[in-house]
Amino acid sequence: MRDVGHITARRRAPGSLRVACLGLAALCGLLATVALAQISARNGVSIWDIVRCAIFFVTTIWLAWGAVQAMLGLSGRDDRAPLPELAQPQPPTVLLLPICHEDPVAVFARVAAMDRSIRSAGLEIDIAVLSDSQTEAARDRERAIFAILLAETDGTGRIFYRNRSDNRGRKAGNIESFIRRSGGAYELAIVLDADSLMEGETMRGMIARMQAEPDLGLLQTLPRIIGARSLFGRAIQFSSAFHAPFFTRGLIRLQGGTGTYWGHNAIFRIRAFAACCGLPELPGKPPLGGTILSHDYVEAALLARGGWRVEIDERFGGSFEEGPENLLAYARRDRRWCQGNLQHTRLITAPGLRGWSRFQFLQGALTYLVAPLWALFLLVSVLVTVTTPLPDYFPEPQGLFPVFPDDPTGGLIALALGICCLLLLPKIAIWAGVVRTGRVRFFGGAALSSLSVIAEVLLSSLLAPLMMAYQTHAVAKVLLGHDGGWPAGQRGEGSLGLAESWRASRGIALTGTALLAAGLHFSPTLVIWLLPVGLPLVAAPLLVAVTSQPVSTAVFLVSDDIRSSPVVSDFHATFRYWVLPDEFEPV
């Protein structure tokens, strides 16, 4: 048994800060709900008023919790110790790259670029490409390009490829298989996704932290999204670069040593992983039983249960991944995450887990359950409106919060105020913080970054009803017993035509049309309050198609558009240099 008591005492979990932040989020939810209840009580209280107040309380707490994290990331000083230097001898380290039916040219071009960056950083790291591809044609292509990789890098003896015919456990099982067979040769493992890239100097810093802190079981970086070309992709890329570091910094302060693992762009201690992270099959059939899909959160919880620290460190640059290029690709990926996060509800009461790990499981499930709750809130608000006769006079505003007395739905105006306060203010504060620290130069300066923030807010507001619809559909499918499985990654998806977008989102468009038609039938005034949700739903095919189109890099400018990382530039150069068979298309 490891003696880490002295380290644990030095790094005590921030319990009081967690209680304060959760209390503040609950207070915001309570005040907003009181305001809604006072509005509803003007014409008497029905069971539907009580239902929507309960829903509004939960969903507003959720919005407030995100705002609290952002503001926490903006406040206070960073009292963490400086990043340590690597001491010799370097711990034996392997880079693991699980793949399954990916484009092997892109995969191995990334490996070639990272291998050169690793050697430039003075590191000795083996690279293992772990394939779960199941067709012989895919395996043959992977072996052929792997041969080119070995010839180009002189990588024999340090770059390895293996394919397993039995892909039980998916990605987690793939890594477990490597640890069982070869893990004894290494102390540390860096794990990436097929679309990940990482600089050698970043790996050097991560290894140094693991070397200096023997109780650190896993260290997660904050990867930057790169390579986005579409309007949708570039908006996500900008948000991840501009806003995400502050939300992550707030999350770090709350998590302490019971942090989050996102399954890639991280480093872990093999001995800790082998001892703690063997994943069972959940009892019962999918979607809530069977293979654990969102394995990363579970592995982080198991490491913490075993006495190891799990941390995120956003200070490491040089960690990259790609993002979806259109809303349909995002929704497909989100469907698997939805099923995986809802599976976590079965693990909340698992024995021995830290309290924060249980909270993270609940929080992950709420990420998706909040969408159908918002949809239900809107539905109940409409029901209240059409079943409650409106007074023929306008009373004076009463109660704790003054409101517009002619608001026909009560809840919708409270919803609008809540979104403005809890979503917009943190982003405005982050923009001010970026300007104050001088980081605004990485986003084209104060003027261009301001336009980018405004455009991102407008675009995310337009797409929010669509995301609500897709996530509500995903939750419904899981709860009805439909298994979404683990679809193979589809990298480099490009623009969508209007016909394809219509086929994929016509249900959303018809739902929006029915919503507005019902509002117009029962109360023309109601339609005004439904427009911010109804119009994007009606226009869903157009929004999906338009946002998938490529745009200039001047739109949502980020630092990687100004100056690309060496490992990213090397990857693109390698990809272009290799002679590609006709069936391979650049990604």
Side-chain angles (χ1 to χ4, degrees):
M1 184 71 178
R2 298 177 307 110
D3 181 12
V4 296
H6 65 290
I7 301 176
T8 304
R10 177 166 51 87
R11 296 178 178 273
R12 192 173 303 278
S16 58
L17 181 62
R18 294 171 180 173
V19 171
C21 290
L22 285 169
L24 180 58
L27 179 61
C28 290
L30 180 62
L31 292 176
T33 305
V34 167
L36 174 59
Q38 290 176 342
I39 298 169
S40 302
R42 291 194 322 238
N43 302 316
V45 178
S46 69
I47 184 63
W48 295 115
D49 290 310
I50 297 173
V51 169
R52 71 170 177 172
C53 283
I55 296 171
F56 191 68
F57 179 64
V58 174
T59 51
T60 306
I61 288 178
W62 178 254
L63 290 179
W65 179 242
V68 166
Q69 286 187 42
M71 303 310 291
L72 186 62
L74 280 163
S75 64
R77 62 185 181 87
D78 190 350
D79 57 359
R80 290 174 291 181
L83 295 174
E85 295 294 331
L86 182 65
Q88 295 299 331
Q90 172 203 319
T93 304
V94 62
L95 189 156
L96 303 180
L97 188 62
I99 64 172
C100 183
H101 292 284
E102 303 283 350
D103 175 4
V105 178
V107 168
F108 290 119
R110 291 186 180 94
V111 171
M114 287 189 287
D115 178 63
R116 286 188 284 267
S117 185
I118 287 168
R119 286 185 285 168
S120 296
L123 298 174
E124 294 182 3
I125 298 178
D126 290 346
I127 301 176
V129 180
L130 311 176
S131 171
D132 259 356
S133 300
Q134 295 299 293
T135 67
E136 196 58 41
R139 294 167 183 161
D140 288 343
R141 288 196 295 270
E142 289 170 1
R143 295 188 188 104
I145 306 303
F146 178 65
I148 296 175
L149 170 69
L150 291 184
E152 289 287 337
T153 61
D154 192 23
T156 302
R158 70 171 187 277
I159 304 178
F160 306 94
Y161 164 86
R162 74 105 170 95
N163 174 271
R164 60 172 190 153
S165 56
D166 179 5
N167 65 343
R168 282 180 296 182
R170 307 292 184 172
K171 179 181 175 181
N174 200 353
I175 293 175
E176 178 183 343
S177 175
F178 174 86
I179 291 175
R180 290 184 181 276
R181 293 171 178 266
S182 307
Y186 305 98
E187 182 178 338
L188 303 174
I190 298 168
V191 62
L192 302 179
D193 265 354
D195 62 354
S196 299
L197 277 168
M198 189 176 286
E199 292 177 355
E201 287 296 333
T202 301
M203 299 183 202
R204 185 182 183 91
M206 295 166 68
I207 294 171
R209 268 209 68 181
M210 299 295 287
Q211 183 186 49
E213 303 174 47
D215 66 325
L216 185 57
L218 185 145
L219 180 64
Q220 173 70 61
T221 68
L222 176 62
R224 294 204 305 268
I225 295 178
I226 57 170
R229 297 178 298 276
S230 69
L231 179 61
F232 179 83
R234 291 194 63 80
I236 292 180
Q237 179 175 277
F238 174 81
S239 183
S240 73
F242 197 90
H243 299 121
F246 295 94
F247 283 93
T248 303
R249 200 167 298 136
L251 184 62
I252 290 169
R253 294 182 64 185
L254 288 168
Q255 288 179 337
T258 313
T260 301
Y261 173 40
W262 296 322
H264 58 90
N265 291 67
I267 186 170
F268 61 80
R269 203 172 301 276
I270 287 182
R271 179 164 56 92
F273 223 74
C276 301
C277 295
L279 297 181
E281 292 279 307
L282 292 176
K285 296 181 179 180
L288 295 180
T291 300
I292 297 175
L293 298 186
S294 295
H295 58 88
D296 36 22
Y297 271 48
V298 180
E299 289 159 344
L302 294 176
L303 283 170
R305 185 177 71 172
W308 298 94
R309 284 191 299 114
V310 178
E311 289 194 8
I312 307 174
D313 197 332
E314 89 294 354
R315 293 175 294 177
F316 289 108
S319 178
F320 309 99
E321 64 171 332
E322 293 182 359
E325 285 289 277
N326 58 64
L327 187 57
L328 300 186
Y330 185 97
R332 275 195 297 271
R333 185 179 69 172
D334 212 42
R335 169 65 174 84
R336 172 169 62 84
W337 290 352
C338 172
Q339 182 172 331
N341 284 19
L342 293 181
Q343 282 182 322
H344 291 168
T345 58
R346 303 186 60 189
L347 302 173
I348 291 175
T349 58
L353 295 182
R354 302 282 184 85
W356 189 254
S357 297
R358 301 182 197 277
F359 176 76
Q360 286 178 320
F361 287 157
L362 176 62
Q363 181 180 248
L366 283 174
T367 300
Y368 293 95
L369 292 176
V370 162
L373 285 177
W374 276 124
L376 185 59
F377 172 80
L378 291 173
L379 181 62
V380 173
S381 293
V382 172
L383 185 62
V384 168
T385 302
V386 300
T387 57
T388 303
L390 293 175
D392 54 6
Y393 67 94
F394 294 148
E396 293 296 322
Q398 298 176 358
L400 181 62
F401 299 96
V403 296
F404 295 105
D406 57 342
D407 170 28
T409 63
L412 294 181
I413 189 170
L415 173 63
L417 291 174
I419 290 176
C420 289
C421 293
L422 298 177
L423 292 182
L424 296 184
L425 288 181
K427 292 190 175 184
I428 295 171
I430 287 173
W431 176 84
V434 172
V435 172
R436 184 178 66 254
T437 59
R439 289 184 60 246
V440 72
R441 67 184 185 279
F442 299 125
F443 302 95
L448 185 56
S449 67
S450 301
L451 292 175
S452 295
V453 169
I454 293 171
E456 191 274 334
V457 168
L458 292 175
L459 184 61
S460 61
S461 299
L462 279 174
L463 296 182
L466 278 66
M467 291 306 307
M468 178 184 69
Y470 278 119
Q471 290 184 341
T472 299
H473 181 261
V475 170
K477 296 284 281 186
V478 172
L479 296 182
L480 290 173
H482 296 277
D483 179 21
W486 192 307
Q490 302 180 46
R491 316 291 180 188
E493 291 181 294
S495 58
L496 302 171
L498 194 56
E500 184 178 2
S501 300
W502 165 254
R503 287 192 297 270
S505 59
R506 59 191 173 193
I508 296 175
L510 295 175
T511 299
T513 302
L515 179 67
L516 292 180
L520 187 63
H521 174 74
F522 290 108
S523 171
T525 309
L526 175 63
V527 176
I528 298 175
W529 298 104
L530 292 178
L531 286 179
V533 174
L535 281 183
L537 294 178
V538 172
L542 182 62
L543 288 173
V544 170
V546 169
T547 57
S548 73
Q549 303 306 311
V551 294
S552 166
T553 55
V555 179
F556 295 120
L557 186 73
V558 296
S559 60
D560 292 297
D561 298 319
I562 300 171
R563 184 178 181 182
S564 181
S565 161
V567 74
V568 176
S569 299
D570 191 0
F571 156 61
H572 288 296
T574 302
F575 191 92
R576 288 191 297 267
Y577 169 72
W578 286 0
V579 177
L580 307 181
D582 292 340
E583 66 266 25
F584 296 128
E585 294 293 336
V587 297

